[in-house]
């Protein structure tokens, strides 16, 4: 009873495709659906993994066993089972390792591949339908729809979907999970009707809407021999689009994400096989670079040659600055350093040490890595004072407006990094500048590259951040990368924001990744409050935010 027997991967044809295949009974469309399912299952199988157990990473086997069951109606609504072509692929919980050992499947790889397999199915289906003479358009959710059907007919042929939508509106819920629950709660009992009786009901509805399927099929048969395909350029453009699109948000990407974006772009104009071939050719030429991995991932991870080039240039600029020859020997002279530090007895020992290390630095680019609550703003205010006394113009940037506002509390004239980059390269006036880039872990590789490339000989840079916090919304992790490459980095580890000893200990545990211990400690202190009901939880969040928007943080993980 503890063993999971398998999973049901359902491939459902778009409504217009179902009408074409089942009302006018164009067998070619049904065969296109079957072949598209077959190709998609083959791709799903490519990423099958065996669960090894314990602390061992799963092994990619590329093998599974599946049984397919093709259905042609949806569940009845008020006695009518609408046309709905779909295939249930029951994938058994078993795979074979390279050594012949039979093991249970690692289910994570299956779930990670489901959207990708859907895209393969849709891409193949669109291309095959196009080859049969059908005009294809992209549906609301990216699915390939056959042109020629009115929305009224499509809605009338989808009573089950309308039934589920109605139930969701009644209960005031939305989302995939809620829809799945609603689907179970609204199911009518199945009626055993003969194929002839089912077809008769389909045709009665078709008559009410003017025999649209008849016209669509007839037109497709006339056009079947006039759809010449020249997919080479389309395939190239789709892979280029995918490269630019998916690597905008992450420096390293799963090959499934790359292929999926390319297929979605070229739907109806190229096959899955053509897209994969183009991608593999570019990978061979070095445009996409495989990333070494040892974490048991089912799919190869890739980065791009451009991303590698920018990372190397960022590191190169930092290392050349480390060799000296820029500006003064030290950021702040010994006399000014002592004078500035003596003016601030409020500094904690760790803050004073950090200020001292920054003042004596000789490098063009250095880092300040501090945990949340360690007093970075206080530290930066003293750094600004000393640098200005030394003759530097101190200018601050941050990747977000909120972070820029926080940095301004240190008395530094601040704007967003994006605003600075949008100004373009500025002429070298010869004046000494100290640029403070706060929340550097949120800066992307491209932003950091453009920022560093524009530095002048008298410019110095202090990168401030916390490598343990969120990384960039766009691609890359340059702040961490620079540290790994040897950037001089001053560290602030002591938390000074929390005065309560117990709360401070919990925060320190969180800062060092001991999440379980920290939450347990907070719970013991009575600081964790659980609101169980979904609606009650939303109301509580809204209430707390309305009461104190500045001090309420809402975290919504994916």
């Amino acid at each position: 009873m503890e063993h999971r027997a398998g999973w049901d991967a359902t491939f459902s044809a778009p409504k217009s495709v179902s009408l074409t295949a089942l009302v006018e009974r164009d067998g070619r469309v049904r065969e296109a659906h079957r072949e598209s399912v077959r190709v998609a299952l083959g791709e799903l199988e490519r990423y099958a993994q065996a669960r090894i157990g314990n602390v061992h990473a799963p092994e990619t086997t590329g093998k599974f066993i599946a049984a397919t069951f093709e259905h042609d109606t949806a569940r009845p609504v008020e006695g009518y089972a609408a046309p709905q072509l779909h295939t249930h692929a029951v994938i058994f919980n078993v795979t074979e390792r390279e050594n012949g050992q039979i093991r249970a499947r690692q289910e994570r790889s299956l779930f990670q591949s489901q959207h990708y397999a859907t895209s393969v199915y849709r891409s193949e289906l669109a291309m095959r339908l196009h080859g049969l003479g059908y005009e294809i358009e992209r549906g609301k959710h990216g699915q390939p729809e056959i042109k020629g059907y009115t929305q009224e007919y499509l809605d009338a042929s989808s009573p089950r979907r309308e039934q589920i939508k109605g139930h969701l509106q009644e209960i005031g819920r939305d989302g995939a999970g809620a829809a799945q629950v609603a689907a179970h709660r609204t199911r009518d009992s199945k009626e055993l009707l003969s194929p002839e009786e089912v077809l008769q009901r389909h045709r009665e509805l078709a008559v009410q809407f003017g025999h649209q399927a008849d016209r669509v099929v007839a037109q497709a048969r006339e056009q079947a021999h006039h759809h010449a395909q020249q997919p080479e350029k389309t395939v190239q453009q789709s892979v280029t689009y995918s490269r630019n699109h998916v690597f905008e948000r992450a420096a390293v990407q799963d090959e499934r994400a790359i292929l999926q974006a390319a297929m979605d772009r070229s739907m109806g104009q190229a096959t899955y096989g053509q897209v994969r071939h183009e991608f593999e050719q570019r990978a061979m030429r070095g445009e996409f670079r495989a990333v070494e991995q040892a974490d048991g991932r089912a799919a190869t991870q890739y980065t791009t040659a451009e991303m590698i080039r920018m990372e190397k240039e960022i590191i190169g600029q930092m290392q050349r600055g480390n060799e000296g020859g820029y500006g003064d020997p030290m950021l702040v002279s010994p006399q000014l350093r002592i004078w500035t530090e003596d003016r601030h007895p409020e500094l904690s020992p760790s803050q004073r040490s950090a200020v001292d290390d920054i003042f004596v630095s000789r490098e063009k680019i250095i880092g300040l890595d501090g945990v949340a609550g360690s007093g970075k703003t206080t530290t930066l205010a003293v750094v600004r004072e000393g640098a200005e006394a030394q003759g530097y113009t101190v200018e601050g940037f941050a990747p977000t407006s909120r972070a820029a506002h926080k940095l301004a509390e240190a008395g530094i004239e601040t704007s967003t990094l994006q605003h600075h980059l949008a100004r373009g390269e500025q002429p070298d006036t010869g004046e000494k500048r100290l640029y403070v880039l706060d929340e550097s872990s949120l800066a992307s590789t491209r932003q950091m590259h453009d920022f560093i490339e524009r530095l002048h000989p008298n410019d110095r840079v202090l990168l401030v951040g916390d490598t343990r916090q969120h990384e960039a919304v766009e691609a890359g992790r340059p702040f961490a990368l620079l540290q790994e490459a040897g950037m001089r980095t001053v560290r602030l580890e002591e938390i000074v924001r929390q005065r309560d000893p117990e709360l401070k200990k919990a925060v320190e545990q969180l800062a060092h990744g001991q999440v379980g211990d920290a939450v347990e400690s907070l719970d013991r202190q009575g600081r964790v409050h659980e609101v169980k009901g979904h609606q009650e939880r939303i109301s509580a969040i809204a209430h707390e935010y309305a009461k104190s928007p500045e001090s309420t943080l809402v975290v919504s993980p994916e």
Side-chain angles (χ1 to χ4, degrees):
M1 293 300 292
E2 295 177 358
H3 178 73
R4 176 170 289 167
W7 299 267
D8 173 17
T10 305
F11 295 90
S12 189
K15 179 56 67 173
S16 60
V17 178
S18 293
L19 292 175
T20 308
L22 303 173
V23 177
E24 184 54 23
R25 305 183 82 172
D26 186 349
R28 302 173 307 158
V29 173
R30 194 160 192 162
E31 186 60 29
H33 165 78
R34 289 174 184 157
E35 284 300 301
S36 300
V37 170
R38 182 184 60 79
V39 174
L41 281 175
E43 275 306 295
L44 201 56
E45 183 177 31
R46 180 192 290 265
Y47 302 104
Q49 289 188 303
R51 184 186 297 147
I52 308 303
N54 297 326
V55 295
H56 300 289
E59 177 186 309
T60 302
T61 63
K63 301 175 184 177
F64 66 41
I65 300 171
T68 59
F69 302 86
E70 188 175 286
H71 294 173
D72 54 19
T73 59
R75 184 174 283 271
V77 176
E78 296 180 359
Y80 176 51
Q84 185 57 58
L85 180 60
H86 60 283
T87 299
H88 295 277
V90 179
I91 302 170
F92 295 98
N93 189 11
V94 62
T95 188
E96 182 183 22
R97 297 181 63 190
E98 190 175 355
N99 62 9
Q101 188 181 41
I102 303 301
R103 303 288 297 195
R105 283 204 52 186
Q106 168 58 266
E107 61 185 31
R108 186 182 300 113
S109 64
L110 179 65
F111 296 135
Q112 289 173 341
S113 299
Q114 61 182 342
H115 293 301
Y116 169 67
T118 298
S119 289
V120 173
Y121 164 75
R122 288 176 171 178
S123 178
E124 285 292 305
L125 181 62
M127 193 64 177
R128 292 170 191 276
L129 293 173
H130 191 268
L132 294 175
Y134 290 101
E135 287 190 69
I136 303 301
E137 61 184 351
R138 192 180 298 271
K140 180 181 177 181
H141 302 290
Q143 76 277 15
E145 296 281 6
I146 294 175
K147 285 186 178 181
Y149 294 98
T150 63
Q151 189 60 49
E152 291 77 13
Y153 184 30
L154 295 175
D155 291 342
S157 299
S158 309
R160 180 71 176 130
R161 184 174 61 185
E162 296 303 313
Q163 184 184 42
I164 293 170
K165 282 172 59 178
H167 183 74
L168 289 173
Q169 289 175 353
E170 283 181 20
I171 63 175
R173 300 283 296 275
D174 57 15
Q180 193 172 27
V181 172
H184 282 279
R185 289 181 178 174
T186 59
R187 291 194 300 182
D188 291 4
S189 60
K190 291 185 176 180
E191 294 183 25
L192 295 178
L193 301 176
S194 69
E196 291 75 17
E197 290 173 312
V198 171
L199 181 59
Q200 180 61 31
R201 295 291 299 274
H202 294 344
R203 288 199 173 280
E204 288 172 1
L205 185 63
V207 169
Q208 297 177 33
F209 290 90
H211 296 289
Q212 294 177 27
D214 294 11
R215 291 198 303 271
V216 168
V217 173
Q219 186 177 354
R221 291 187 184 277
E222 291 178 9
Q223 297 292 326
H225 303 294
H226 301 291
H227 281 195
Q229 293 290 332
Q230 293 181 327
E232 293 82 5
K233 190 173 182 179
T234 298
V235 172
Q236 292 168 3
Q237 291 173 339
S238 68
V239 175
T240 299
Y241 163 81
S242 176
R243 180 200 65 199
N244 297 338
H245 177 67
V246 302
F247 287 102
E248 183 182 14
R249 294 302 185 201
V252 177
Q253 279 285 5
D254 187 305
E255 71 175 14
R256 290 168 293 191
I258 303 169
L259 292 169
Q260 182 176 341
M263 284 185 292
D264 291 346
R265 182 74 170 185
S266 62
M267 185 178 293
Q269 297 176 291
T271 66
Y272 150 76
Q274 291 166 335
V275 170
R276 178 174 275 278
H277 177 74
E278 174 69 15
F279 168 71
E280 290 176 345
Q281 289 296 307
R282 294 198 189 190
M284 288 176 61
R285 295 196 297 266
E287 183 177 339
F288 297 97
R289 308 282 183 87
V291 177
E292 290 187 18
Q293 56 198 47
D295 55 358
R297 293 177 183 268
T300 305
Q301 305 286 106
Y302 285 89
T303 188
T304 65
E306 182 187 22
M307 194 64 63
I308 292 173
R309 174 187 63 79
M310 287 193 292
E311 289 179 346
K312 285 182 177 179
E313 289 177 356
I314 290 171
I315 292 171
Q317 284 277 30
M318 179 272 294
Q319 291 174 337
R320 284 191 294 274
N322 284 357
E323 294 167 3
Y326 293 99
D328 297 324
M330 290 187 290
L331 180 67
V332 176
S333 68
Q335 295 86 353
L336 280 176
R337 174 167 56 89
I338 294 170
W339 175 79
T340 304
E341 291 174 9
D342 286 349
R343 282 167 50 87
H344 293 281
E346 75 277 6
L347 293 176
S348 70
S350 63
Q351 290 170 332
R352 180 175 293 273
S353 175
V355 169
D356 203 56
D357 286 346
I358 292 170
F359 281 166
V360 303
S361 66
R362 302 172 184 270
E363 293 80 6
K364 186 178 182 69
I365 303 172
I366 66 169
L368 171 61
D369 194 329
V371 298
S374 58
K376 291 194 288 288
T377 302
T378 302
T379 303
L380 290 174
V382 180
V383 170
R384 174 195 57 77
E385 187 177 315
E388 287 178 343
Q390 190 66 47
Y392 282 90
T393 298
V394 182
E395 195 170 346
F397 308 114
T400 66
S401 57
R402 181 168 183 171
H405 179 74
K406 183 69 177 175
L407 180 59
E409 294 178 7
I412 299 172
E413 185 178 334
T414 307
S415 64
T416 63
L417 177 59
Q418 293 87 335
H419 180 266
H420 171 70
L421 296 177
R423 290 164 52 199
E425 192 164 354
Q426 301 297 305
D428 183 9
T429 61
E431 70 176 310
K432 298 191 299 184
R433 289 184 178 274
L434 172 63
Y435 291 122
V436 180
L437 177 57
D438 199 9
E439 298 289 3
S440 294
S441 57
L442 293 177
S444 72
T445 295
R446 188 177 300 280
Q447 289 172 336
M448 188 72 78
H449 176 268
D450 292 348
F451 172 63
I452 289 177
E453 285 289 311
R454 298 178 186 183
L455 296 177
H456 297 303
N458 286 336
D459 294 339
R460 306 279 282 266
V461 177
L462 174 61
L463 301 177
V464 185
D466 182 359
T467 53
R468 288 147 292 206
Q469 290 186 337
H470 291 298
E471 293 181 356
V473 174
E474 295 183 27
R477 45 188 290 275
F479 185 54
L481 192 71
L482 284 166
Q483 291 191 41
E484 292 165 6
M487 176 178 69
R488 178 189 177 114
T489 304
V490 179
R491 303 199 180 277
L492 267 177
E493 301 286 351
E494 183 189 355
I495 294 173
V496 297
R497 183 182 299 160
Q498 279 75 28
R499 303 296 183 184
D500 185 301
E502 285 191 324
L503 180 58
K504 182 177 180 179
K505 182 180 179 181
V507 173
E508 287 172 344
Q509 289 172 325
L510 286 170
H512 292 92
Q514 301 166 3
V515 179
D517 294 338
V519 173
E520 188 177 332
S521 174
L522 291 169
D523 197 20
R524 284 199 306 270
Q525 298 172 43
R527 299 180 184 273
V528 177
H529 306 283
E530 181 182 3
V531 182
K532 291 189 176 181
H534 174 81
Q535 206 58 45
E536 292 81 359
R537 199 156 51 241
I538 297 298
S539 298
I541 291 170
H543 176 75
E544 290 297 324
Y545 184 80
K547 186 171 67 175
S548 180
E550 295 82 9
S551 60
T552 301
L553 176 65
V554 180
V555 180
S556 179
E558 293 183 356

